[in-house]
Coordinates of all heavy atoms in Angstrom, one line a residue:
V1 N 76.1 -70.1 6.2 CA 76.5 -68.7 6.4 C 76.1 -67.9 5.1 O 75.7 -66.7 5.2 CB 77.9 -68.5 6.7 CG1 78.2 -69.1 8.1 CG2 78.9 -69.2 5.7
A2 N 76.3 -68.5 3.9 CA 76.0 -67.8 2.6 C 74.5 -67.4 2.5 O 74.1 -66.4 2.1 CB 76.4 -68.5 1.5
E3 N 73.6 -68.4 3.1 CA 72.2 -68.1 3.0 C 71.9 -67.0 4.0 O 71.0 -66.2 3.7 CB 71.5 -69.4 3.4 CG 71.5 -70.5 2.3 CD 70.8 -71.7 2.7 OE1 70.3 -71.8 3.8 OE2 70.9 -72.8 1.8
R4 N 72.6 -66.9 5.2 CA 72.3 -65.8 6.0 C 72.9 -64.5 5.6 O 72.1 -63.5 5.8 CB 72.9 -66.1 7.5 CG 72.4 -67.4 8.1 CD 70.9 -67.4 8.1 NE 70.4 -68.6 8.8 CZ 70.1 -69.7 8.1 NH1 70.3 -69.8 6.9 NH2 69.4 -70.7 8.7
V5 N 73.9 -64.5 4.7 CA 74.3 -63.3 4.2 C 73.3 -62.8 3.1 O 73.0 -61.7 3.1 CB 75.7 -63.5 3.6 CG1 76.1 -62.3 2.6 CG2 76.8 -63.7 4.6
R6 N 72.8 -63.7 2.3 CA 71.8 -63.4 1.3 C 70.5 -62.8 2.0 O 69.8 -62.0 1.4 CB 71.3 -64.5 0.4 CG 72.7 -64.8 -0.5 CD 72.2 -65.8 -1.6 NE 72.1 -67.2 -1.1 CZ 73.1 -68.0 -1.1 NH1 74.2 -67.8 -1.5 NH2 72.9 -69.4 -0.7
Q7 N 70.2 -63.3 3.2 CA 69.0 -62.8 3.9 C 69.3 -61.5 4.7 O 68.4 -61.0 5.3 CB 68.6 -63.9 4.9 CG 68.0 -65.2 4.3 CD 67.9 -66.2 5.1 OE1 68.3 -66.3 6.4 NE2 67.4 -67.5 4.7
G8 N 70.6 -61.1 4.7 CA 70.9 -59.8 5.4 C 71.2 -60.1 6.8 O 71.2 -59.2 7.7
L9 N 71.3 -61.4 7.2 CA 71.4 -61.7 8.8 C 72.8 -61.7 9.2 O 73.2 -61.6 10.3 CB 70.7 -62.9 9.0 CG 69.2 -63.0 8.7 CD1 68.6 -64.3 9.0 CD2 68.4 -62.0 9.6
L10 N 73.8 -61.8 8.3 CA 75.2 -61.9 8.5 C 75.9 -60.9 7.5 O 75.4 -60.9 6.2 CB 75.8 -63.3 8.4 CG 75.5 -64.3 9.6 CD1 76.2 -65.6 9.2 CD2 76.0 -63.8 10.9
S11 N 77.0 -60.3 7.9 CA 77.7 -59.6 6.8 C 78.8 -60.5 6.4 O 79.1 -61.6 6.9 CB 78.5 -58.4 7.5 OG 79.6 -59.0 8.4
P12 N 79.4 -60.4 5.1 CA 80.3 -61.1 4.6 C 81.5 -61.4 5.4 O 82.0 -62.5 5.5 CB 80.8 -60.5 3.3 CG 79.6 -59.8 2.9 CD 79.0 -59.2 4.2
E13 N 81.9 -60.3 6.2 CA 83.0 -60.5 7.2 C 82.7 -61.4 8.4 O 83.5 -62.2 8.8 CB 83.4 -59.1 7.8 CG 84.0 -58.1 6.7 CD 83.0 -57.6 5.8 OE1 81.8 -57.6 6.2 OE2 83.4 -57.1 4.6
E14 N 81.5 -61.2 8.9 CA 81.0 -62.2 9.9 C 80.9 -63.7 9.5 O 81.4 -64.6 10.2 CB 79.6 -61.7 10.4 CG 79.6 -60.5 11.2 CD 78.2 -60.0 11.5 OE1 77.4 -60.3 10.7 OE2 78.1 -59.5 12.6
A15 N 80.5 -63.8 8.2 CA 80.5 -65.2 7.4 C 81.8 -65.8 7.5 O 81.8 -67.1 7.6 CB 79.8 -65.1 6.2
R16 N 82.8 -65.1 7.2 CA 84.1 -65.7 7.1 C 84.7 -66.3 8.3 O 85.5 -67.3 8.2 CB 85.2 -64.7 6.5 CG 84.9 -64.2 5.1 CD 86.0 -63.2 4.5 NE 87.3 -63.9 4.6 CZ 87.7 -64.5 3.4 NH1 86.9 -64.5 2.2 NH2 88.9 -65.0 3.3
T17 N 84.3 -65.8 9.5 CA 84.8 -66.4 10.7 C 83.7 -67.2 11.6 O 84.1 -67.5 12.7 CB 85.4 -65.1 11.5 OG1 84.4 -64.2 11.8 CG2 86.5 -64.5 10.8
H18 N 82.5 -67.2 10.9 CA 81.4 -67.9 11.8 C 81.8 -69.3 12.0 O 82.3 -69.9 11.2 CB 80.2 -67.8 11.0 CG 78.9 -67.9 11.9 ND1 78.5 -69.2 12.2 CD2 78.1 -67.0 12.4 CE1 77.4 -69.1 12.9 NE2 77.1 -67.8 13.1
R19 N 81.3 -69.8 13.3 CA 81.6 -71.1 13.6 C 81.0 -72.2 12.6 O 81.4 -73.4 12.6 CB 81.3 -71.5 15.0 CG 79.9 -71.2 15.4 CD 79.6 -71.2 16.8 NE 78.3 -71.2 17.3 CZ 77.5 -72.3 17.6 NH1 78.0 -73.5 17.5 NH2 76.2 -72.0 17.9
W20 N 79.9 -71.8 12.0 CA 79.2 -72.7 11.0 C 79.6 -72.4 9.5 O 78.8 -72.8 8.7 CB 77.7 -72.5 11.2 CG 77.2 -73.3 12.5 CD1 77.9 -74.0 13.4 CD2 75.9 -73.5 12.8 NE1 77.2 -74.5 14.4 CE2 75.9 -74.3 13.9 CE3 74.6 -73.1 12.3 CZ2 74.7 -74.6 14.7 CZ3 73.5 -73.4 12.9 CH2 73.5 -74.2 14.2
R21 N 80.7 -71.8 9.3 CA 81.0 -71.4 8.0 C 81.3 -72.6 7.1 O 81.3 -72.5 5.8 CB 82.3 -70.5 7.9 CG 83.5 -71.0 8.5 CD 84.8 -70.1 8.5 NE 85.9 -70.7 9.1 CZ 86.1 -70.8 10.5 NH1 85.2 -70.4 11.3 NH2 87.3 -71.3 10.8
N22 N 81.6 -73.7 7.7 CA 81.9 -74.9 6.9 C 80.7 -75.8 6.7 O 80.8 -77.0 6.1 CB 83.1 -75.8 7.5 CG 84.4 -75.0 7.5 OD1 84.7 -74.2 6.5 ND2 85.1 -75.1 8.6
V23 N 79.6 -75.5 7.2 CA 78.3 -76.3 7.1 C 77.6 -75.9 5.7 O 77.2 -74.9 5.5 CB 77.4 -76.0 8.3 CG1 76.0 -76.8 8.1 CG2 78.0 -76.3 9.5
I24 N 77.6 -76.9 4.9 CA 76.9 -76.7 3.5 C 75.5 -77.2 3.7 O 75.3 -78.2 4.5 CB 77.7 -77.5 2.4 CG1 77.8 -78.9 2.6 CG2 79.2 -76.8 2.4 CD1 78.5 -79.6 1.2
T25 N 74.8 -76.7 2.8 CA 73.2 -77.0 2.8 C 72.8 -77.8 1.5 O 71.6 -78.0 1.4 CB 72.4 -75.8 2.8 OG1 72.8 -74.9 1.9 CG2 72.7 -75.0 4.2
N26 N 73.8 -78.1 0.7 CA 73.4 -78.9 -0.5 C 74.7 -79.6 -1.0 O 75.8 -79.0 -1.0 CB 73.0 -78.0 -1.6 CG 72.5 -78.8 -2.9 OD1 72.0 -79.8 -2.8 ND2 72.5 -77.9 -4.0
A27 N 74.6 -81.0 -1.3 CA 75.8 -81.7 -1.7 C 75.4 -82.9 -2.5 O 74.2 -83.4 -2.3 CB 76.5 -82.2 -0.4
L28 N 76.2 -83.3 -3.4 CA 75.8 -84.5 -4.2 C 75.9 -85.7 -3.2 O 76.8 -86.0 -2.4 CB 76.8 -84.7 -5.3 CG 76.8 -83.8 -6.5 CD1 77.9 -84.3 -7.6 CD2 75.5 -83.7 -7.1
G29 N 74.9 -86.6 -3.3 CA 74.9 -87.8 -2.6 C 74.0 -87.7 -1.3 O 73.7 -88.7 -0.6
S30 N 73.6 -86.4 -0.8 CA 72.9 -86.3 0.4 C 71.5 -86.6 0.3 O 70.8 -87.0 1.3 CB 73.1 -84.8 0.9 OG 74.4 -84.6 1.2
F31 N 70.8 -86.5 -0.9 CA 69.5 -86.7 -1.1 C 69.4 -87.6 -2.5 O 70.2 -87.5 -3.3 CB 68.7 -85.4 -1.3 CG 68.7 -84.5 -0.1 CD1 69.6 -83.7 0.1 CD2 67.8 -84.9 1.0 CE1 69.7 -82.8 1.2 CE2 67.8 -84.1 2.1 CZ 68.8 -83.0 2.2
P32 N 68.2 -88.2 -2.7 CA 68.1 -89.0 -3.9 C 68.0 -88.1 -5.2 O 68.4 -88.7 -6.2 CB 66.7 -89.7 -3.6 CG 66.5 -89.7 -2.2 CD 67.1 -88.4 -1.7
Q33 N 67.6 -86.9 -5.1 CA 67.6 -86.1 -6.2 C 68.6 -84.9 -5.9 O 68.6 -84.3 -4.9 CB 66.2 -85.6 -6.5 CG 65.9 -84.9 -7.8 CD 64.6 -84.4 -7.9 OE1 63.8 -84.3 -7.0 NE2 64.1 -84.4 -9.3
A34 N 69.3 -84.5 -7.0 CA 70.3 -83.4 -6.9 C 69.6 -82.1 -7.2 O 68.7 -82.0 -7.9 CB 71.3 -83.7 -7.9
R35 N 70.0 -81.1 -6.5 CA 69.6 -79.8 -6.7 C 70.9 -79.0 -7.2 O 71.8 -78.8 -6.5 CB 69.2 -79.1 -5.4 CG 68.7 -77.6 -5.6 CD 67.9 -77.2 -4.4 NE 68.5 -77.3 -3.1 CZ 69.3 -76.4 -2.6 NH1 69.5 -75.3 -3.1 NH2 69.7 -76.6 -1.3
V36 N 70.8 -78.7 -8.5 CA 71.9 -78.1 -9.2 C 71.7 -76.7 -9.7 O 70.6 -76.4 -10.3 CB 72.3 -78.9 -10.5 CG1 73.6 -78.5 -11.1 CG2 72.6 -80.4 -10.0
D37 N 72.6 -75.8 -9.5 CA 72.4 -74.5 -10.2 C 73.2 -74.5 -11.5 O 74.3 -75.2 -11.7 CB 73.3 -73.4 -9.2 CG 72.6 -73.0 -8.0 OD1 71.4 -73.4 -7.9 OD2 73.2 -72.4 -7.1
L38 N 72.7 -73.9 -12.5 CA 73.1 -74.1 -13.9 C 73.1 -72.7 -14.5 O 72.1 -71.9 -14.5 CB 72.3 -75.0 -14.7 CG 72.7 -75.2 -16.1 CD1 74.0 -75.8 -16.3 CD2 71.6 -75.9 -16.9
L39 N 74.3 -72.2 -15.0 CA 74.3 -70.9 -15.7 C 75.3 -71.1 -17.0 O 76.0 -72.1 -17.1 CB 74.9 -69.8 -14.8 CG 76.2 -70.0 -14.1 CD1 77.3 -69.3 -14.9 CD2 76.3 -69.5 -12.7

């Protein structure tokens, strides 16, 4: 849902109640190599 909000396809309000709101697209352990945001 967050990716769809950034693309302008969902509003933040729609994202909070969307049926796929708990589906994550990046997690530790899912792939051999980690994709990490760093700031």
Side-chain angles (χ1 to χ4, degrees):
V1 294
E3 290 177 2
R4 298 308 177 276
V5 170
R6 289 190 285 269
Q7 293 167 357
L9 301 177
L10 285 176
S11 69
E13 293 74 23
E14 290 172 328
R16 289 184 70 88
T17 58
H18 198 280
R19 63 190 179 96
W20 281 5
R21 64 186 178 277
N22 295 322
V23 176
I24 63 173
T25 56
N26 186 24
L28 290 184
S30 296
F31 298 94
Q33 189 176 29
R35 177 165 56 93
V36 182
D37 288 349
L38 179 66
L39 59 93

